[in-house]
Amino acid sequence: MTPIHAPDVLISEVGPRDGLQSVSGTMSTAAKCLWIDALAAAGLREIEVASFVPPKLLPQMADAAQVVQHALRHTHITVMALVPNLRGAETALRSGARKITLPISASQAHCLANVRKTREDMVAELRAVVALRDAIAPGVPVEAAISTAFGCTLQGQVPEDDVLRLAVACAEAGASDVGLSDTTGMGNPAQTTRLFKRLFQEIGERTGAAHMHNTRGLGLANCLAAYEVGVRTFDSSLGGLGGCPYAPGASGNVVTEDLVFMFEAMGVSTGIDWPTLMAAREPLKAGLPGETLYGMTPEAGLPKGWRG
């Protein structure tokens, strides 16, 4: 039997969560499900489909449990959900989420604004989430996402030593992996290289995803820098939707379409089918009429003779 070649990198699509929580409109549950179906058809293997937060805070995520249940029909994808606390984690796990992510800010100011807790409180919350996972859903990965790891619009510069200390604390609290997020788009390639190198030195294989924003146009460059030091999981959002309601000035995520093109053009396989990925923009447009979608490659098209 010929072995099946696993793609070289994992593109984790965060649009249905990070993208939708950052727009003013609310996509209907039916439209979300159609969009997730289209993303799954394109070959995406991990999709963050919802955030389990109080509906009064994020009405766009009020149907989180329904969306998770629908996404679970796609047995080839990891259905991921963001949870801000133990209560959200329990609801997500009981809904069937196959991976949960807990955001913990390296910036104390952003942590207090985002989840109303200190960094130390959030590490304790992570420890409780891991214990709950062990009790009711053994084997489900719990990811710690270190937000504002590259700078914060509320606090300003975030010392790299603070980022690394927090990452180590999260690993010691039981996180399956620890990723770094450029929540405010303040990072640059040299900084990305340095931080991820240090993260690998501190926690090794538990180094997780690079979650980059394109606020200042450096999203792809930062992803490439992370790749070159060994990162193999990258968060991105179809059409570049996304941001953070609690980080003034933070704008969209790295565009999935551009990220896939970059890697495939380099000969780095993503496992994603380009025409089907482009087709996934249509249910997004239909579900959020009038919302601006981004992406250089969708506008320019593929080069003549493309073989990616």
Side-chain angles (χ1 to χ4, degrees), residues 125-150:
E125 196 82 5
L126 171 63
R127 192 174 291 111
V129 167
V130 170
L132 175 71
R133 181 278 314 274
D134 290 343
I136 68 173
V140 171
V142 176
E143 175 188 52
I146 307 297
S147 307
T148 61
F150 297 82

Side-chain angles (χ1 to χ4, degrees), residues 38-44 260 264 270-280 306 308:
L39 292 168
L44 284 149
V260 169
E264 294 286 349
T270 64
I272 295 171
D273 180 70
W274 177 261
T276 315
L277 182 66
M278 283 298 296
W306 171 256

Side-chain angles (χ1 to χ4, degrees), residues 150 157 182 185-194 212 218 221-222 225:
F150 297 82
Q157 296 299 311
D182 186 14
M186 294 170 69
N188 63 70
Q191 182 185 19
T192 300
T193 297
R194 192 168 57 244
M212 300 301 181
L218 293 179
N222 289 332

Side-chain angles (χ1 to χ4, degrees), residues 222-257:
N222 289 332
C223 285
L224 180 57
Y227 174 80
E228 289 179 338
V229 296
V231 175
R232 292 297 180 265
T233 300
F234 299 87
D235 294 352
S236 61
S237 176
L238 198 81
L241 296 184
C244 177
Y246 301 103
S251 55
N253 290 277
V254 168
V255 178
T256 300
E257 301 93 312

Side-chain angles (χ1 to χ4, degrees), residues 72-121:
L72 288 170
R73 299 179 186 181
H74 299 285
T75 57
H76 73 284
I77 67 172
T78 299
V79 178
M80 185 165 61
L82 181 136
V83 301
N85 51 37
L86 184 63
R87 178 181 296 180
E90 181 170 9
T91 307
L93 291 169
R94 295 196 185 281
S95 298
R98 295 186 180 130
K99 181 177 181 180
I100 56 175
T101 300
L102 194 74
I104 305 178
S105 300
S107 156
Q108 192 77 284
H110 183 264
C111 207
L112 291 168
N114 192 36
V115 291
R116 299 182 178 84
K117 292 181 180 179
T118 66
R119 294 172 297 196
E120 296 74 20
D121 290 339

